[in-house]
Amino acid sequence: MIIHCRRCGQPLGEPAGTGRPAAYCSVGCRRATEYEIRRTATAAEHAEAEHTRWRQAAAGLGPLAAAPPGHADREAAWWAAEVSRLDGKLRDLLDDRPTDRPLNSFQHSPPRTCNGPRRSPDLLWTTPQ
Ligand SMILES: [Zn+2]
């Protein structure tokens, strides 16, 4: 089995007989992955906080409870999906076993199903800053 750099996909050759096989082709690729892990962890923390805020709003609590009907539920569902997407990405990034496939499995967030309230004069609702 030819293993590949988990970051850039460059072939690293056959695993050596002894010791832990390399997962990255270079210090640069390892460091880039460490940086992406930190960014992804920060994004996951933000997504968890948003999920909590919108779950509370859906239960009628907090400043976002004034959102139009259904909005908080849709936001909570979107953020829940975002939390699990980012958790999956973190697991991929933190798993540094050698791989026979390049780890170029970047996944975008799912599309937003709700972009906030429609603008209308009798529905003045804004996200608090
Ligand atoms: Zn590499």
Side-chain angles (χ1 to χ4, degrees):
M1 178 182 90
I2 303 261
I3 58 174
H4 293 78
C5 173
R6 290 187 64 85
R7 181 76 192 175
C8 69
Q10 179 174 299
L12 300 175
E14 301 275 345
T18 58
R20 184 186 176 85
Y24 298 97
C25 70
S26 62
V27 172
C29 275
R30 178 179 296 282
R31 293 278 185 272
T33 302
E34 289 165 359
Y35 178 66
E36 193 178 0
I37 287 169
R38 287 197 300 274
R39 286 173 54 88
T40 305
T42 301
E45 284 169 19
H46 171 73
E48 284 165 10
E50 285 294 316
H51 181 229
T52 299
R53 265 159 38 96
W54 285 110
R55 258 200 1 243
Q56 289 171 343
L61 302 170
L64 298 175
H71 182 79
D73 285 324
R74 289 190 295 273
E75 286 286 344
W78 191 88
W79 284 108
E82 187 68 354
V83 167
S84 41
R85 183 186 75 87
L86 291 166
D87 282 351
K89 183 178 175 183
L90 265 181
R91 272 196 301 277
D92 263 1
L93 288 167
L94 289 166
D95 176 5
D96 64 352
R97 287 172 301 179
T99 179
D100 59 353
R101 68 178 169 91
L103 189 71
N104 292 328
S105 54
F106 178 80
Q107 285 185 313
H108 285 278
S109 307
R112 300 299 292 262
T113 53
C114 181
N115 289 315
R118 271 184 304 239
R119 303 277 175 235
S120 99
D122 56 336
L123 179 61
L124 292 173
W125 178 78
T126 56
T127 304
Q129 297 305 308

